[in-house]
Amino acid sequence: MIEPLVITDEQPPTHRPGLWIGGIALYILLIGIGTNLGGEFALFITASFNVLPFAGLAILAYFAGTQFNWAWIATGIWATLLIGTVSVYTFILGVASLLDIPPGGLNPDQPPSLSPPAVLPVLLLIIGIVSAIALGLLTLLPSIRHRLAHFIPINPSSFVHTVALTTIVIITLMMFVPLLITGQPPLLALVNMVGSDAFSDLNNDEQLRNQIYGLVWTIPASLLAVGFGVRRNLTETLARLGFVRPTLRQGLLGVGIGLGLAGLITIALPLIETLWQALGWSTTDDEAFGELMAFAISPIGAVVIGITAGLGEELGVRGVLQPRLGLWLSNLFFTSLHAFQYHWDALLVVFVVGIACGFVRKHTNTTTAAIVHGVYNFVMVMMSVIS
């Protein structure tokens, strides 16, 4: 017997679905305006694409229930579109890394093509993406969720928790597919083939501003993702996120751990690379990664990356996800988000840093974890600047 999914452990819903529908309509209007105007406004609007669709899914999931039965269908449609979009993007990026680029780079008169040996990896990409979706959909089964509830702090009967679990499991598995199939991070493969400038029409300053705009959207998206205005007021929302003012001790602790992590990873990276090479495993192409991140290799870039990635990623992963999906699953998702640009050696480092931030979040708050992450990012970028 399939038990009904309900929303528990949160406050009663706010009966204002029309307000949220109006907000979605306004957002769609802003996208249209940004597309037509172009320029800085378009850059600002497109920076929202990485986070607001997920916040929209969460809002619909919160509304789903006996009061708003339409939201059950809307949530399913939105989740399908969201996962479908991520699937297509992952597939295109994976295929692009397999293309034969003509000598001299991209040329409209001589388009890139797939060599015959690359046909099999393309088929495996499709199988991998479909398999990731199928495995993620298994979490819709109550028996699976009840078993997982022994390891992660979800309510297996909660519709909100089910939507979050299924979506995150699918995307986490999917992000690893191109690296598993092609044996190379797709973004770095593209950099090696055509150069970093060939698939980014933004200059360094624009890319830095894009990072800032992403954070501007991430903060409200994180608030919405945990039910602000639907299930919680602002005070409850900030407490749920762990986005609170840290004590002086916590702030100093965050700085200290961030510096310690940077020092530890700096020492460990050559050892990891040596081990990987001894085992015959591929390592992250430092030169290609340097080209990909060239826009941030400056003192200003170090500050921007430290603040935007530190606060933005911690709010999304340690603030929104960890209290519901647990330390390990949320950190695996965090690691998967870097699989387009890192090989397995660097992903191991990302996982270790994420675990450290997760423990800090668990024993203090998200703000302190953001300080750890931000200081770590700042130091690592500055080391690239002075090297």
Side-chain angles (χ1 to χ4, degrees):
M1 179 178 179
I2 298 179
E3 60 190 74
L5 291 174
V6 296
I7 300 176
T8 58
D9 78 347
E10 284 116 6
Q11 300 300 317
T14 303
H15 296 259
R16 291 181 295 177
L19 179 64
W20 293 101
I21 294 174
I24 293 173
L26 176 61
Y27 176 59
I28 294 173
L29 176 63
L30 290 175
I31 293 175
I33 295 174
T35 301
N36 290 323
L37 290 180
E40 199 69 20
F41 187 72
L43 184 65
F44 175 71
I45 291 298
T46 54
S48 69
F49 293 169
N50 290 332
V51 290
L52 275 196
F54 294 93
L57 179 63
I59 291 169
L60 288 173
Y62 278 114
F63 274 126
T66 56
Q67 294 91 346
F68 308 110
N69 288 323
W70 55 268
W72 288 77
I73 299 175
T75 302
I77 294 173
W78 192 290
T80 300
L81 291 174
L82 181 60
I83 293 171
T85 301
V86 176
S87 302
V88 171
Y89 176 74
T90 302
F91 176 72
I92 291 175
L93 202 56
V95 170
S97 66
L98 297 170
L99 292 175
D100 286 332
I101 304 297
L106 294 173
N107 186 341
D109 298 326
Q110 190 179 2
S113 60
L114 278 173
S115 61
V119 174
L120 178 58
V122 170
L123 294 176
L124 292 176
L125 277 172
I126 297 173
I127 294 172
I129 291 171
V130 172
S131 298
I133 295 173
L135 289 172
L137 290 177
L138 289 176
T139 60
L140 294 175
L141 298 174
S143 59
I144 298 294
R145 292 198 306 279
H146 278 284
R147 289 188 180 125
L148 289 175
H150 293 293
F151 307 98
I152 59 178
I154 63 165
N155 178 350
S157 299
S158 168
F159 183 73
V160 175
H161 294 189
T162 298
V163 171
L165 176 64
T166 301
T167 304
I168 293 303
V169 168
I170 289 175
I171 293 177
T172 298
L173 294 174
M174 198 181 298
M175 291 293 98
F176 288 119
V177 168
L179 180 57
L180 282 168
I181 300 302
T182 67
Q184 54 187 342
L187 289 180
L188 298 192
L190 286 173
V191 169
N192 283 325
M193 285 190 290
V194 301
S196 59
D197 293 336
F199 55 95
S200 175
D201 55 0
L202 302 178
N203 60 39
N204 287 356
D205 290 340
E206 287 175 326
Q207 291 190 68
L208 286 177
R209 293 202 302 277
N210 191 51
Q211 295 290 321
I212 296 171
Y213 295 155
L215 177 62
V216 170
W217 286 106
T218 297
I219 293 174
S222 298
L223 298 176
L224 296 174
V226 297
F228 174 61
V230 182
R231 294 260 159 190
R232 296 181 172 91
N233 60 32
L234 183 58
T235 301
E236 294 166 339
T237 299
L238 294 176
R240 162 63 176 80
L241 285 172
F243 191 30
V244 297
R245 181 178 179 178
T247 65
L248 177 60
R249 180 178 177 277
Q250 290 171 343
L252 294 175
L253 179 67
V255 172
I257 294 176
L259 291 172
L261 268 177
L264 175 65
I265 296 304
T266 300
I267 295 172
L269 276 174
L271 300 177
I272 295 173
E273 184 174 355
T274 300
L275 174 62
W276 248 245
Q277 292 174 349
L279 293 172
W281 298 344
S282 298
T283 57
T284 301
D285 187 332
D286 293 333
E287 184 177 346
F289 181 75
E291 290 186 42
L292 184 67
M293 295 297 295
F295 72 93
I297 308 303
S298 68
I300 293 177
V303 172
V304 170
I305 294 299
I307 294 174
T308 58
L311 180 55
E313 292 178 358
E314 291 309 304
L315 268 178
V317 178
R318 256 62 71 171
V320 175
L321 297 180
Q322 184 171 313
R324 287 294 171 264
L325 300 182
L327 171 63
W328 298 98
L329 178 55
S330 62
N331 191 53
L332 191 61
F333 170 72
F334 169 70
T335 305
S336 75
L337 296 179
H338 298 78
F340 287 170
Q341 64 194 48
Y342 291 134
H343 223 302
W344 297 109
D345 58 325
L347 288 178
L348 174 62
V349 171
V350 172
F351 187 83
V352 170
V353 172
I355 286 294
C357 291
F359 274 109
V360 171
R361 162 65 172 108
K362 181 178 180 180
H363 295 288
T364 58
N365 48 61
T366 301
T367 315
T368 304
I371 294 173
V372 173
H373 195 158
V375 169
Y376 170 82
N377 282 356
F378 174 80
V379 172
M380 298 305 286
V381 174
M382 282 302 299
M383 291 182 66
S384 297
V385 172
I386 63 179
S387 62

